[in-house]
Amino acid sequence: LNLYDNNNGYNNAAGLLADTNDFPGVDIIKFGENISVIQKRITFDHMSILEVYKKSLEVFRDYYRYEVIEGFERKNVEKIPEAAFREAIANGLIHRMWDVNSHIRISMFDNYIDIVSPGGLPSGISEEEYLNGKTSVLRNRNLANVFYRLGFVEIFGTGITRIKQLYESSFVKPRFEVSENTIKIELPVFEDISDLTDDEHLVLKALSKTVLKSISEIVPSTPFGKSKVSSLLKILEKKGVVLIQGKGRSTKYIIK
């Protein structure tokens, strides 16, 4: 793939933005209850990168956005913040290695999305700098400028920081993995805990999303007694945050 201008080394944005081209785009898979169940697979390639970006958003909205009726109004609800998905896709398209003949892979599950971009980090930036938004190195400068002018990105180098900010009031946070050849962003379903009290937060921190815990295992990790922890766990269950399993002495708790 001949993507680089010999004069300045920048990415061939004109080729990537052409209506038809030979470049790989995005491969999206929507899984069911496990990776053996594929509900939908669609690939967007050999088309303008702007079209790839827009079509990927359309698929996202099919699965992670819905409408509810409140009184006489319709309200859009996002299971995963669309702004976070936009940042992740734009980040992948702007910073990926275009001379690697590989798609950006988007794996969609009921409770999270994985976006994997080929190429790893641009030279001149460390993993810490990338994750903390301390600096920005534009691998594909011309393409980045197009996304900036169209309003798809705001300030270069702030994408990861913005994704983190969008999840500030969520119990489950996004995850970022950087390797030599890929960058992966995991966006979980948003779990709003902004309406929890300080005491409820303390109990929630003592729980796990993967391991069932008895109340005797939870109490030592809180500043409260057994009676208060039990009451707070019942409140968290009513708020849909905690799942209670079993009865009597065999009762155990897990984050829903």
Side-chain angles (χ1 to χ4, degrees):
L1 297 173
N2 183 19
L3 296 176
Y4 293 91
D5 186 319
N6 292 328
N7 294 323
N8 58 22
Y10 294 154
N11 189 271
N12 179 5
L16 291 164
L17 296 169
D19 291 340
T20 58
N21 54 53
D22 295 327
F23 307 138
V26 167
D27 185 34
I28 301 177
I29 302 178
K30 174 62 175 69
F31 293 97
E33 58 267 23
N34 57 60
I35 58 174
S36 298
V37 180
I38 297 177
Q39 294 180 338
K40 183 174 184 177
R41 182 165 192 171
I42 186 167
T43 302
F44 302 123
D45 56 8
H46 310 315
M47 64 178 70
S48 167
I49 295 305
L50 297 180
E51 194 68 14
V52 169
Y53 175 81
K54 293 174 183 177
K55 287 183 177 294
S56 298
L57 285 176
E58 290 172 2
V59 177
F60 169 86
R61 290 167 182 160
D62 285 343
Y63 293 106
Y64 300 100
R65 192 172 76 172
Y66 59 94
E67 286 187 342
V68 295
I69 299 175
E70 294 183 354
F72 297 101
E73 296 183 355
R74 290 179 179 271
K75 180 181 178 182
N76 285 321
V77 178
E78 298 173 353
K79 294 176 66 178
I80 291 174
E82 182 176 308
F85 183 76
R86 285 176 175 271
E87 290 284 354
I89 294 299
N91 200 65
L93 292 169
I94 290 172
H95 296 297
R96 66 155 290 170
M97 285 284 289
W98 284 104
D99 57 349
V100 176
N101 191 18
S102 178
H103 294 90
I104 293 174
R105 301 196 317 273
I106 303 177
S107 301
M108 295 182 166
F109 301 87
D110 288 343
N111 57 344
Y112 69 95
I113 298 176
D114 272 345
I115 300 105
V116 180
S117 304
L121 291 175
S123 59
I125 183 172
S126 68
E127 180 176 347
E128 181 185 1
E129 289 170 332
Y130 170 76
L131 295 177
N132 293 320
K134 292 180 178 179
T135 187
S136 175
V137 176
L138 296 177
R139 176 181 276 139
N140 308 306
R141 185 180 301 275
N142 292 344
L143 187 62
N145 285 331
V146 171
F147 271 65
Y148 175 75
R149 291 193 198 108
L150 292 173
F152 295 159
V153 296
E154 295 181 5
I155 303 174
F156 297 135
T158 63
I160 300 302
T161 300
R162 178 157 165 71
I163 290 173
K164 291 178 179 178
Q165 289 173 343
L166 289 164
Y167 277 88
E168 278 183 346
S169 62
S170 174
F171 179 71
V172 185
K173 305 297 184 181
R175 296 175 63 242
F176 309 92
E177 294 181 13
V178 177
S179 70
E180 182 179 353
N181 299 314
T182 62
I183 294 175
K184 183 171 82 169
I185 298 176
E186 181 181 297
L187 302 176
V189 167
F190 193 91
E191 296 183 11
D192 192 357
I193 55 171
S194 59
D195 64 338
L196 300 185
T197 66
D198 291 342
D199 289 352
E200 289 164 1
H201 275 288
L202 289 172
V203 172
L204 195 60
K205 287 182 180 179
L207 296 173
S208 168
K209 285 185 68 71
T210 57
V211 179
L212 287 162
K213 290 187 177 183
S214 65
I215 195 163
S216 61
E217 294 172 310
I218 299 169
V219 169
S221 299
T222 75
F224 313 123
K226 182 177 178 180
S227 177
K228 183 167 184 178
V229 169
S230 180
S231 298
L232 290 169
L233 286 167
K234 290 177 180 177
I235 294 172
L236 289 170
E237 182 195 25
K238 289 180 180 179
K239 290 185 175 182
V241 179
V242 169
L243 185 65
I244 301 177
Q245 296 185 9
K247 293 182 179 180
R249 294 183 178 180
S250 63
T251 302
K252 293 193 174 182
Y253 306 85
I254 192 169
I255 296 171
K256 194 171 181 179

